[in-house]
């Protein structure tokens, strides 16, 4: 089980994580939360669900490449290649959907942090390992957060297609991007085994 998810009887999945892995995952999830930004905690929308429903979000894509990867345009190709009509559709779609999307991504990342914090110092998988057991709902949150983390790291590494990724995987150890590439690969492995565990469950 160490290093990869396995299905649990009755649904969900489990993975054994050591202290370093827990620390890295928690740190990455917290950084993702900081990147996404805080939720609506004040103003009329905070107390009124109907006002929240009709609250308008931004109409332009984020300037940060990582956020632009997390919140892409819904229509056409972003940038100069979009025609005026596509830009208008994308702007309108973003205005009414981005706040909800941000909230979902925030909840996914928070779910990761909370589940890791709940592990405490427990060790039932061997020396230094703790077993993280996720419900089906927890698995959905982890899948969402793992995907968002990989998109974010991929944007920071400027990975735009598989060829870019393959070249980065052969970086020499002294390259300053190497730790980020290793995190990108590791998160991809976790994501893949979680999907497999859910399909097998």
């Amino acid at each position: 089980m160490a290093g990869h998810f396995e299905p649990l009887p009755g649904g969900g999945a489990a993975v054994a994580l050591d202290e370093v892995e827990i620390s890295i995952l928690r740190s990455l999830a917290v950084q993702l939360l900081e990147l996404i930004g805080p939720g609506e905690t004040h103003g009329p929308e905070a107390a009124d669900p109907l006002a929240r429903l009709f609250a308008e979000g931004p109409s332009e894509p984020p300037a940060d490449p990582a956020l632009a990867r997390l919140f892409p345009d819904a229509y056409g190709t972003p940038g100069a290649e979009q025609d005026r009509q596509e830009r208008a559709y994308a702007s309108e779609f973003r205005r009414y959907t981005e706040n909800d999307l941000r909230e979902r991504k925030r909840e996914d990342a928070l779910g990761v942090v909370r589940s890791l914090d709940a592990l405490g110092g427990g060790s039932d998988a061997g020396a230094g390992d703790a077993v993280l057991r996720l419900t089906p709902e927890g698995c959905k949150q982890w899948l969402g957060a793992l995907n968002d983390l990989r998109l974010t790291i991929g944007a920071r590494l400027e990975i735009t297609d598989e060829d870019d990724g393959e070249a980065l995987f052969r970086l020499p150890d002294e390259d300053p991007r190497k730790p980020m590439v290793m995190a990108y690969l590791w998160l991809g492995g976790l994501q893949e085994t979680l999907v497999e565990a859910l399909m097998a469950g």
Side-chain angles (χ1 to χ4, degrees):
M1 181 188 293
H4 62 272
F5 281 95
E6 293 183 0
L8 287 174
V15 64
L17 300 168
D18 63 31
E19 288 182 16
V20 173
E21 291 169 329
I22 292 168
S23 176
I24 291 170
L25 282 166
R26 191 184 189 285
S27 175
L28 289 172
V30 168
Q31 290 177 59
L32 180 61
L33 282 166
E34 291 170 353
L35 178 67
I36 293 169
E40 287 294 330
T41 56
H42 57 278
E45 295 86 0
D48 184 351
L50 196 58
R52 260 201 322 269
L53 181 65
F54 291 103
E56 292 188 11
S59 59
E60 295 300 319
D64 184 317
L67 281 173
R69 190 81 64 93
L70 291 176
F71 305 103
D73 271 338
Y75 295 91
T77 306
E81 295 174 35
Q82 272 186 329
D83 65 30
R84 188 186 312 179
Q85 192 63 47
E86 284 178 333
R87 282 197 297 274
Y89 287 146
S91 175
E92 192 72 3
F93 187 82
R94 181 180 296 279
R95 182 177 294 125
Y96 292 107
T97 61
E98 186 170 312
N99 284 348
D100 286 343
L101 185 56
R102 278 182 184 264
E103 187 59 33
R104 194 184 79 225
K105 290 179 181 298
R106 192 179 294 112
E107 283 302 313
D108 288 346
L110 275 170
V112 169
V113 172
R114 289 172 181 145
S115 60
L116 291 172
D117 287 350
L119 282 176
S123 175
D124 55 352
D129 288 342
V131 177
L132 173 71
R133 292 180 174 83
L134 298 174
T135 63
E137 182 59 31
C139 289
K140 283 172 52 180
Q141 288 187 319
W142 268 73
L143 274 177
L146 288 171
N147 186 61
D148 289 343
L149 286 169
R150 292 191 80 238
L151 286 172
T152 301
I153 294 173
R156 295 291 185 239
L157 291 169
E158 299 181 350
I159 297 174
T160 56
D161 57 39
E162 287 191 24
D163 291 337
D164 286 350
E166 302 237 341
L168 284 170
F169 302 153
R170 295 189 293 273
L171 288 175
D173 290 342
E174 59 272 15
D175 192 296
R177 296 169 295 172
K178 188 75 171 188
M180 207 182 301
V181 170
M182 298 307 294
Y184 181 82
L185 288 169
W186 177 53
L187 292 169
L190 284 175
Q191 187 179 21
E192 184 178 342
T193 61
L194 181 51
V195 170
E196 290 171 353
L198 290 174
M199 290 175 68

